Protein backbone atom coordinates (compact mmCIF):
# COMPACT_ATOMS: atom_id res chain seq x y z
CA UNK A 1 0.00 0.00 0.00
CA UNK A 2 1.24 3.48 -0.80
CA UNK A 3 2.12 5.57 2.18
CA UNK A 4 0.43 8.97 2.24
CA UNK A 5 2.97 11.66 1.22
CA UNK A 6 2.54 13.65 4.43
CA UNK A 7 3.69 10.64 6.50
CA UNK A 8 7.14 10.83 4.93
CA UNK A 9 9.86 13.04 6.41
CA UNK A 10 9.24 16.73 5.95
CA UNK A 11 11.55 18.55 3.54
CA UNK A 12 13.32 21.85 3.93
CA UNK A 13 13.63 23.72 0.63
CA UNK A 14 15.18 27.15 0.09
CA UNK A 15 15.01 29.53 -2.86
CA UNK A 16 17.95 31.78 -3.61
CA UNK A 17 19.03 34.24 -6.28
CA UNK A 18 19.12 37.95 -6.99
CA UNK A 19 16.32 40.48 -6.84
CA UNK A 20 13.49 40.00 -9.34
CA UNK A 21 14.42 36.49 -10.51
CA UNK A 22 11.03 35.17 -9.38
CA UNK A 23 11.73 33.59 -5.99
CA UNK A 24 8.59 34.80 -4.23
CA UNK A 25 6.42 33.94 -7.24
CA UNK A 26 7.75 30.39 -7.40
CA UNK A 27 7.61 29.82 -3.64
CA UNK A 28 3.89 30.61 -3.80
CA UNK A 29 3.37 28.30 -6.79
CA UNK A 30 5.27 25.47 -5.13
CA UNK A 31 3.19 25.69 -1.95
CA UNK A 32 0.08 25.54 -4.05
CA UNK A 33 1.34 22.49 -5.95
CA UNK A 34 2.38 20.68 -2.76
CA UNK A 35 -1.05 21.28 -1.23
CA UNK A 36 -2.55 19.53 -4.26
CA UNK A 37 -0.80 16.36 -3.07
CA UNK A 38 -1.83 16.94 0.56
CA UNK A 39 1.64 17.96 1.60
CA UNK A 40 1.46 20.46 4.40
CA UNK A 41 4.01 23.22 3.97
CA UNK A 42 4.77 26.61 5.46
CA UNK A 43 6.23 29.54 3.62
CA UNK A 44 8.82 31.70 5.32
CA UNK A 45 11.53 34.17 4.39
CA UNK A 46 14.82 35.70 5.39
CA UNK A 47 16.03 37.94 6.77
CA UNK A 48 13.35 37.57 9.40
CA UNK A 49 10.76 34.83 9.55
CA UNK A 50 10.05 35.12 13.30
CA UNK A 51 9.24 38.18 15.43
CA UNK A 52 12.67 38.19 17.10
CA UNK A 53 14.48 37.74 13.78
CA UNK A 54 12.38 40.55 12.25
CA UNK A 55 13.40 42.80 15.17
CA UNK A 56 17.08 42.13 14.47
CA UNK A 57 16.49 42.71 10.77
CA UNK A 58 14.91 46.10 11.50
CA UNK A 59 17.77 47.02 13.85
CA UNK A 60 20.32 46.30 11.12
CA UNK A 61 18.34 47.96 8.30
CA UNK A 62 17.87 51.11 10.36
CA UNK A 63 21.65 51.36 10.44
CA UNK A 64 21.83 50.99 14.21
CA UNK A 65 24.33 48.13 14.07
CA UNK A 66 26.66 49.95 11.68
CA UNK A 67 28.96 51.49 14.32
CA UNK A 68 29.76 47.98 15.54
CA UNK A 69 31.18 46.90 12.18
CA UNK A 70 30.48 44.12 9.71
CA UNK A 71 31.68 41.35 12.05
CA UNK A 72 29.09 42.25 14.68
CA UNK A 73 26.46 42.52 11.97
CA UNK A 74 27.31 39.01 10.82
CA UNK A 75 26.84 37.82 14.41
CA UNK A 76 23.47 39.59 14.59
CA UNK A 77 22.33 37.97 11.34
CA UNK A 78 23.36 34.61 12.79
CA UNK A 79 21.35 35.30 15.95
CA UNK A 80 18.30 36.09 13.80
CA UNK A 81 18.79 32.93 11.74
CA UNK A 82 19.24 30.80 14.86
CA UNK A 83 15.88 32.04 16.16
CA UNK A 84 14.25 31.39 12.78
CA UNK A 85 15.66 27.85 12.67
CA UNK A 86 14.89 26.86 16.26
CA UNK A 87 11.50 28.59 16.60
CA UNK A 88 9.97 28.06 13.17
CA UNK A 89 11.91 25.78 10.82
CA UNK A 90 12.84 22.91 13.17
CA UNK A 91 9.45 22.65 14.95
CA UNK A 92 7.58 22.54 11.63
CA UNK A 93 9.88 19.88 10.18
CA UNK A 94 9.56 17.87 13.40
CA UNK A 95 5.79 17.71 13.05
CA UNK A 96 5.99 16.72 9.40
CA UNK A 97 5.36 20.11 7.80
CA UNK A 98 7.58 21.04 4.88
CA UNK A 99 9.33 24.41 5.12
CA UNK A 100 9.88 26.56 2.04
CA UNK A 101 12.06 29.60 2.65
CA UNK A 102 12.34 32.61 0.36
CA UNK A 103 16.12 33.17 0.84
CA UNK A 104 18.20 31.58 3.60
CA UNK A 105 21.85 31.19 4.62
CA UNK A 106 23.24 31.27 1.06
CA UNK A 107 22.03 34.86 0.71
CA UNK A 108 24.19 35.89 3.67
CA UNK A 109 27.17 34.19 2.07
CA UNK A 110 26.51 35.66 -1.38
CA UNK A 111 26.04 39.22 -0.08
CA UNK A 112 28.92 38.84 2.37
CA UNK A 113 31.18 38.06 -0.56
CA UNK A 114 30.35 41.52 -1.92
CA UNK A 115 30.82 43.60 1.19
CA UNK A 116 33.83 41.62 2.35
CA UNK A 117 35.49 42.43 5.64
CA UNK A 118 34.35 39.28 7.41
CA UNK A 119 36.60 36.26 7.52
CA UNK A 120 35.21 33.22 5.68
CA UNK A 121 35.98 31.11 8.75
CA UNK A 122 33.74 33.32 10.88
CA UNK A 123 30.95 33.04 8.28
CA UNK A 124 31.34 29.24 8.31
CA UNK A 125 31.29 29.07 12.11
CA UNK A 126 28.25 31.35 12.38
CA UNK A 127 26.42 29.31 9.76
CA UNK A 128 27.07 26.08 11.66
CA UNK A 129 25.84 27.70 14.87
CA UNK A 130 22.75 29.28 13.30
CA UNK A 131 21.61 26.25 11.29
CA UNK A 132 21.79 23.93 14.28
CA UNK A 133 22.08 20.97 11.89
CA UNK A 134 19.18 22.07 9.69
CA UNK A 135 20.86 22.31 6.32
CA UNK A 136 18.26 22.58 3.53
CA UNK A 137 17.43 19.33 1.74
CA UNK A 138 17.33 21.25 -1.51
CA UNK A 139 18.26 24.77 -2.57
CA UNK A 140 16.87 26.11 -5.83
CA UNK A 141 19.05 28.89 -7.20
CA UNK A 142 17.18 30.97 -9.77
CA UNK A 143 19.71 32.38 -12.17
CA UNK A 144 19.37 35.09 -14.79
CA UNK A 145 20.92 38.25 -16.18
CA UNK A 146 20.33 40.97 -13.56
CA UNK A 147 19.49 43.55 -16.25
CA UNK A 148 16.49 41.47 -17.29
CA UNK A 149 15.52 40.80 -13.68
CA UNK A 150 15.63 44.53 -12.94
CA UNK A 151 13.30 45.23 -15.82
CA UNK A 152 10.81 42.83 -14.21
CA UNK A 153 11.02 44.69 -10.91
CA UNK A 154 10.59 47.99 -12.77
CA UNK A 155 7.48 46.64 -14.48
CA UNK A 156 6.12 45.62 -11.09
CA UNK A 157 6.63 49.17 -9.78
CA UNK A 158 4.96 50.70 -12.83
CA UNK A 159 2.03 48.28 -12.63
CA UNK A 160 1.66 49.17 -8.96
CA UNK A 161 1.44 52.85 -9.97
CA UNK A 162 4.79 53.70 -8.46
CA UNK A 163 7.45 55.78 -10.11
CA UNK A 164 10.09 53.69 -11.86
CA UNK A 165 13.37 53.89 -10.01
CA UNK A 166 15.65 54.69 -12.91
CA UNK A 167 18.78 54.82 -10.80
CA UNK A 168 18.59 51.04 -10.40
CA UNK A 169 20.10 50.81 -13.87
CA UNK A 170 23.21 52.69 -12.92
CA UNK A 171 26.29 50.76 -13.87
CA UNK A 172 27.62 50.32 -10.37
CA UNK A 173 24.38 48.78 -9.25
CA UNK A 174 24.33 46.39 -12.18
CA UNK A 175 27.95 45.45 -11.52
CA UNK A 176 27.07 44.67 -7.90
CA UNK A 177 24.28 42.36 -9.03
CA UNK A 178 26.47 40.66 -11.61
CA UNK A 179 28.91 39.78 -8.85
CA UNK A 180 26.04 38.64 -6.64
CA UNK A 181 24.87 36.32 -9.42
CA UNK A 182 28.38 34.89 -9.73
CA UNK A 183 28.55 34.35 -5.95
CA UNK A 184 25.34 32.28 -6.04
CA UNK A 185 26.78 30.21 -8.91
CA UNK A 186 29.97 29.66 -6.90
CA UNK A 187 27.90 28.50 -3.90
CA UNK A 188 26.05 26.05 -6.18
CA UNK A 189 29.34 24.69 -7.50
CA UNK A 190 30.65 24.23 -3.96
CA UNK A 191 27.46 22.41 -2.86
CA UNK A 192 26.43 20.26 -5.83
CA UNK A 193 24.39 17.76 -3.80
CA UNK A 194 22.21 20.41 -2.23
CA UNK A 195 21.93 23.10 -4.89
CA UNK A 196 20.24 23.09 -8.28
CA UNK A 197 20.63 26.08 -10.59
CA UNK A 198 17.63 26.81 -12.79
CA UNK A 199 17.54 29.36 -15.59
CA UNK A 200 14.99 31.91 -14.43
CA UNK A 201 14.67 33.71 -17.75
CA UNK A 202 11.59 31.77 -18.83
CA UNK A 203 7.87 32.20 -18.28
CA UNK A 204 6.40 31.72 -14.79
CA UNK A 205 4.71 28.52 -15.96
CA UNK A 206 7.87 27.08 -17.57
CA UNK A 207 9.86 27.90 -14.47
CA UNK A 208 7.21 26.33 -12.25
CA UNK A 209 7.38 23.13 -14.34
CA UNK A 210 11.20 23.06 -14.21
CA UNK A 211 11.13 23.43 -10.42
CA UNK A 212 8.45 20.77 -10.06
CA UNK A 213 10.58 18.41 -12.13
CA UNK A 214 13.54 18.93 -9.79
CA UNK A 215 11.35 18.39 -6.71
CA UNK A 216 9.72 15.21 -7.99
CA UNK A 217 13.01 13.64 -9.05
CA UNK A 218 14.65 14.58 -5.76
CA UNK A 219 11.96 13.36 -3.34
CA UNK A 220 10.66 9.80 -3.85
CA UNK A 221 7.30 10.56 -2.22
CA UNK A 222 6.51 12.80 -5.21
CA UNK A 223 8.10 10.63 -7.86
CA UNK A 224 6.04 10.48 -11.02
CA UNK A 225 3.47 13.00 -9.75
CA UNK A 226 2.59 15.41 -12.53
CA UNK A 227 2.46 19.15 -12.08
CA UNK A 228 -1.09 19.74 -10.77
N1 LIG B 1 9.05 34.03 -15.03
C1 LIG B 1 8.70 35.32 -14.99
N2 LIG B 1 8.64 36.05 -16.11
C2 LIG B 1 8.31 37.36 -16.07
N3 LIG B 1 8.00 38.05 -14.97
C3 LIG B 1 8.04 37.37 -13.80
C4 LIG B 1 8.40 35.98 -13.75
N4 LIG B 1 8.36 35.59 -12.45
C5 LIG B 1 8.02 36.67 -11.73
N5 LIG B 1 7.81 37.74 -12.53
C6 LIG B 1 7.46 39.10 -12.13
O1 LIG B 1 8.69 39.73 -11.83
C7 LIG B 1 8.60 40.47 -10.62
C8 LIG B 1 9.59 39.88 -9.60
O2 LIG B 1 9.17 38.58 -9.20
P1 LIG B 1 9.36 38.08 -7.69
O3 LIG B 1 8.77 36.72 -7.61
O4 LIG B 1 8.84 39.11 -6.75
O5 LIG B 1 10.96 38.02 -7.63
P2 LIG B 1 11.92 37.93 -6.35
O6 LIG B 1 11.11 37.43 -5.19
O7 LIG B 1 12.98 36.95 -6.76
O8 LIG B 1 12.48 39.29 -6.15
C9 LIG B 1 7.14 40.38 -10.21
O9 LIG B 1 6.46 41.51 -10.69
C10 LIG B 1 6.64 39.13 -10.86
O10 LIG B 1 5.25 39.19 -11.13
MG1 LIG C 1 10.77 38.30 -3.31
Amino acid sequence: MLEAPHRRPARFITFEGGEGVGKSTQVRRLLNNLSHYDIEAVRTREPGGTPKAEAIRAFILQGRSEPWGVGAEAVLFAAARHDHVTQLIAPNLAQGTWVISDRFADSTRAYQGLTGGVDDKLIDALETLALDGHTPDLTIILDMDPDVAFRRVEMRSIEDGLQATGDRFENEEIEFHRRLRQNFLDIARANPDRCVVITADQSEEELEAAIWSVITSRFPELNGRPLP
Side-chain angles (χ1 to χ4, degrees), residues 18-25 28 102-103 156:
E19 173 119 1
V21 296
K23 297 180 298 300
S24 302
T25 304
R28 276 194 298 274
D102 191 337
R103 292 193 183 278
R156 176 173 57 188

Side-chain angles (χ1 to χ4, degrees), residues 66-141:
E66 218 176 307
W68 296 356
V70 287
E73 279 182 353
V75 173
L76 284 171
F77 269 118
R81 179 159 302 127
H82 187 256
D83 190 70
H84 187 209
V85 168
T86 57
Q87 303 306 308
L88 190 146
I89 295 170
N92 273 291
L93 293 173
Q95 66 171 37
T97 303
W98 290 35
V99 177
I100 318 295
S101 190
D102 191 337
R103 292 193 183 278
F104 191 59
D106 295 321
S107 281
T108 297
R109 199 173 279 277
Y111 281 89
Q112 192 57 49
L114 298 170
T115 53
V118 181
D119 195 285
D120 275 353
K121 286 202 190 85
L122 177 62
I123 295 291
D124 288 344
L126 289 172
E127 189 175 298
T128 303
L129 181 78
L131 264 56
D132 200 28
H134 294 283
T135 303
D137 297 299
L138 171 67
T139 296
I140 307 257
I141 295 179

Side-chain angles (χ1 to χ4, degrees), residues 41 52 54 65 67 73 79 81 85 107 113 125 130 133 150 167 190 197 221:
K52 288 194 181 86
E54 295 283 344
S65 60
E73 279 182 353
R81 179 159 302 127
V85 168
S107 281
F150 267 179
D167 61 349
V197 177
E221 62 269 43

Side-chain angles (χ1 to χ4, degrees), residues 194-217:
R194 173 172 63 84
C195 298
V196 175
V197 177
I198 299 182
T199 301
D201 196 3
Q202 42 185 337
S203 76
E204 278 183 33
E205 292 74 21
E206 286 168 326
L207 197 46
E208 178 184 18
I211 291 167
W212 187 250
S213 158
V214 169
I215 305 262
T216 53
S217 59

Side-chain angles (χ1 to χ4, degrees), residues 20-192:
V21 296
K23 297 180 298 300
S24 302
T25 304
Q26 295 301 326
V27 165
R28 276 194 298 274
R29 284 177 178 254
L30 176 59
L31 263 113
N32 198 37
N33 293 333
L34 291 173
S35 76
H36 185 89
Y37 289 112
D38 290 331
I39 291 178
E40 243 184 87
V42 292
R43 177 174 129 203
T44 188
R45 65 150 193 184
E46 283 211 353
T50 59
K52 288 194 181 86
E54 295 283 344
I56 292 177
R57 175 205 176 132
F59 183 80
I60 294 171
L61 294 187
Q62 287 159 9
R64 289 163 74 190
S65 60
E66 218 176 307
W68 296 356
V70 287
E73 279 182 353
V75 173
L76 284 171
F77 269 118
R81 179 159 302 127
H82 187 256
D83 190 70
H84 187 209
V85 168
T86 57
Q87 303 306 308
L88 190 146
I89 295 170
N92 273 291
L93 293 173
Q95 66 171 37
T97 303
W98 290 35
V99 177
I100 318 295
S101 190
D102 191 337
R103 292 193 183 278
F104 191 59
D106 295 321
S107 281
T108 297
R109 199 173 279 277
Y111 281 89
Q112 192 57 49
L114 298 170
T115 53
V118 181
D119 195 285
D120 275 353
K121 286 202 190 85
L122 177 62
I123 295 291
D124 288 344
L126 289 172
E127 189 175 298
T128 303
L129 181 78
L131 264 56
D132 200 28
H134 294 283
T135 303
D137 297 299
L138 171 67
T139 296
I140 307 257
I141 295 179
L142 298 182
D143 175 64
M144 68 188 280
D145 183 340
D147 297 75
V148 181
F150 267 179
R151 236 161 280 141
R152 281 184 183 175
V153 177
E154 284 261 305
M155 283 307 297
R156 176 173 57 188
S157 307
I158 291 164
E159 280 160 14
D160 291 349
L162 304 169
Q163 190 114 39
T165 47
D167 61 349
R168 295 207 103 133
F169 288 94
E170 279 174 15
N171 284 340
E172 244 175 67
E173 188 104 357
I174 283 294
E175 188 47 42
F176 177 92
H177 287 273
R178 289 204 179 110
R179 282 169 55 211
L180 183 66
R181 176 190 193 187
Q182 189 54 51
N183 289 353
F184 277 119
L185 293 175
D186 291 344
I187 288 169
R189 200 169 312 114
N191 301 273

